[in-house]
Amino acid sequence: MRATAAVLLVLCLLPVSHAWDCQPVVDIKNLMQIDAGLGQVVATDTSQIPYYLVGDKWISLPGSLKHITVGPAGIWGVSNADSIYKYVAGNWVQAAGLLKQLDAGGDQFVVGSNMDNIPFCLTSSATVGYKGPGSPLPWTGLPGAVKYYSCGPFGCWAVNKNDDIFLMSLNQDCQNKGWSHIEGKLSMIEVATDGSVFGVNSAGSVYTRNGITASKPQGTGWSHVPMCMQMKHVTYDLGRLWVISKSGFTMVCTH
């Protein structure tokens, strides 16, 4: 199996027609999840160790997290027990509530989903000002049921337990007009700081949404991003597409 995976990785590095140049991330292994935003990159591995990328070095952060996110709302994470944390002055401070996944990519607000797939939002004023247990933390419940949730400048995208895709317009006060269904199927989805949307389906194929603008936040359609192995997680920021394969390889791709 290890030899087969090595061959696949070599094939990934060969020039291909889709114009994505992918290189292996060699300084870290066994990543489970990765998130990029505002020029920053964070990740967690299968041992639930959180990392922050500095130059080409992955610096381990304190604590144990199954999911970590970075964006205009700061750096947040959730533990294996679904406890919520914000990174403040070099340490994690616990926040009230329980979420299995969250995202800091919105306009200084945080969104997430709990174990029952109920989506929540935390206003920008509460998010930015949160510094510890004494700070107010008024989570707002949102309609629908989603298992993975991510926001950017033109809206929030999510997928449900059936891999159906949805889009919501959400402001800093968590006000919204509900979900709009988007065609296609994805098992996870991420929105970049510039509004780009990438996702992975259950078969491990990567897709990106075309034609997203402020006036057309739903975009115009999906394009397949060819990869030479099955992927499980993806994130994008500042021209770099970070992908984690189902077999445990991490690559960074430029277009």
Side-chain angles (χ1 to χ4, degrees), residues 109-176:
F109 59 85
V110 169
V111 298
S113 175
N114 71 6
M115 63 181 296
D116 297 317
N117 292 333
I118 299 173
F120 286 88
C121 173
L122 185 63
T123 65
S124 62
S125 58
T127 296
V128 174
Y130 188 75
K131 55 186 177 182
S135 304
L137 211 63
W139 289 101
T140 300
L142 300 175
V146 300
K147 66 177 180 179
Y148 201 103
Y149 196 3
S150 182
C151 295
F154 307 134
C156 297
W157 292 71
V159 294
N160 68 10
K161 65 180 182 179
N162 299 319
D163 290 354
D164 299 316
I165 306 166
F166 297 90
L167 171 65
M168 172 185 283
S169 176
L170 198 62
N171 68 14
Q172 289 184 319
D173 295 324
C174 297
Q175 296 176 339
N176 67 90

Side-chain angles (χ1 to χ4, degrees), residues 217-233:
Q218 73 274 21
T220 57
W222 296 103
S223 288
H224 181 226
V225 180
M227 293 283 163
C228 57
M229 61 179 74
Q230 293 181 334
M231 298 300 169
K232 66 179 180 180
H233 201 90

Side-chain angles (χ1 to χ4, degrees), residues 65-141:
L65 300 174
K66 67 176 179 180
H67 190 96
I68 188 171
T69 179
V70 62
I75 300 177
W76 294 69
V78 293
S79 71
N80 195 48
D82 290 354
S83 300
I84 306 167
Y85 295 89
K86 182 184 180 183
Y87 199 60
V88 178
N91 291 289
W92 295 104
V93 294
Q94 188 168 354
L98 295 172
L99 294 173
K100 65 177 179 180
Q101 180 265 334
L102 78 172
D103 186 81
D107 189 7
Q108 296 187 326
F109 59 85
V110 169
V111 298
S113 175
N114 71 6
M115 63 181 296
D116 297 317
N117 292 333
I118 299 173
F120 286 88
C121 173
L122 185 63
T123 65
S124 62
S125 58
T127 296
V128 174
Y130 188 75
K131 55 186 177 182
S135 304
L137 211 63
W139 289 101
T140 300

Side-chain angles (χ1 to χ4, degrees), residues 7 12 25 34 40 47-48 87 96 115 124-125 132 144 149 158 173 193 231:
V7 170
C12 278
V25 178
I34 191 167
Q40 303 172 83
S47 298
Q48 300 191 7
Y87 199 60
M115 63 181 296
S124 62
S125 58
Y149 196 3
D173 295 324
T193 307
M231 298 300 169

